[in-house]
Amino acid sequence: MARGLVVGVVLLVAITLYSVFDCAARPRDQIAALPKWAWILVILLLPLIGAGLWFLIGRRRADGSLGVRRTTAPSAPDDDLDFLRRIADDVEQKQRRERRERGEFD
């Protein structure tokens, strides 16, 4: 029981410190909703909740968007239409080459 409590407190302190340092080191244009000093107060006064709010709504990425980074790229090659078109073009070129080598023409 005591060991779990110690681990929990250490994790809470680590998350809080990371959040405070992340906020303090971040340029003003990458901070949303509140001024930097207010975010630091929120993180310190409400450690777990403040850190969660900081990571969800306080951090602004360099491109100006908020929150967690989401990828817009296809998740698999067969979801990428450009990739599928390139494969189809490669197959078509290969078939044309083989027909030319056999003496057949398009």
Side-chain angles (χ1 to χ4, degrees):
M1 173 73 175
R3 188 177 300 159
L5 185 60
V6 170
V7 170
V9 169
V10 168
L11 283 174
L12 181 64
V13 169
I15 291 169
T16 302
L17 287 176
Y18 179 80
S19 301
V20 167
F21 289 128
D22 185 45
C23 179
R26 196 167 286 273
R28 177 63 191 123
D29 62 335
Q30 291 182 7
I31 297 176
L34 296 173
K36 187 183 288 194
W37 62 268
W39 274 116
I40 292 173
L41 277 177
V42 168
I43 294 167
L44 290 173
L45 294 175
L46 305 166
L48 193 57
I49 296 169
L53 290 173
W54 165 248
F55 286 109
L56 290 175
I57 63 172
R59 293 171 41 150
R60 188 180 301 248
R61 294 196 313 265
D63 63 359
S65 57
L66 291 174
V68 180
R69 183 178 305 251
R70 291 182 177 86
T71 58
T72 57
S75 59
D78 61 343
D79 293 339
D80 187 354
L81 296 178
D82 291 331
F83 177 75
L84 294 174
R85 265 188 235 112
R86 285 193 309 267
I87 290 177
D89 290 343
D90 290 347
V91 169
E92 186 177 337
Q93 288 176 2
K94 182 180 177 186
Q95 290 172 346
R96 285 182 188 167
R97 227 182 350 254
E98 289 173 352
R99 282 193 298 249
R100 263 188 253 127
E101 289 173 359
R102 289 192 308 249
E104 300 173 13
F105 298 102
D106 291 332

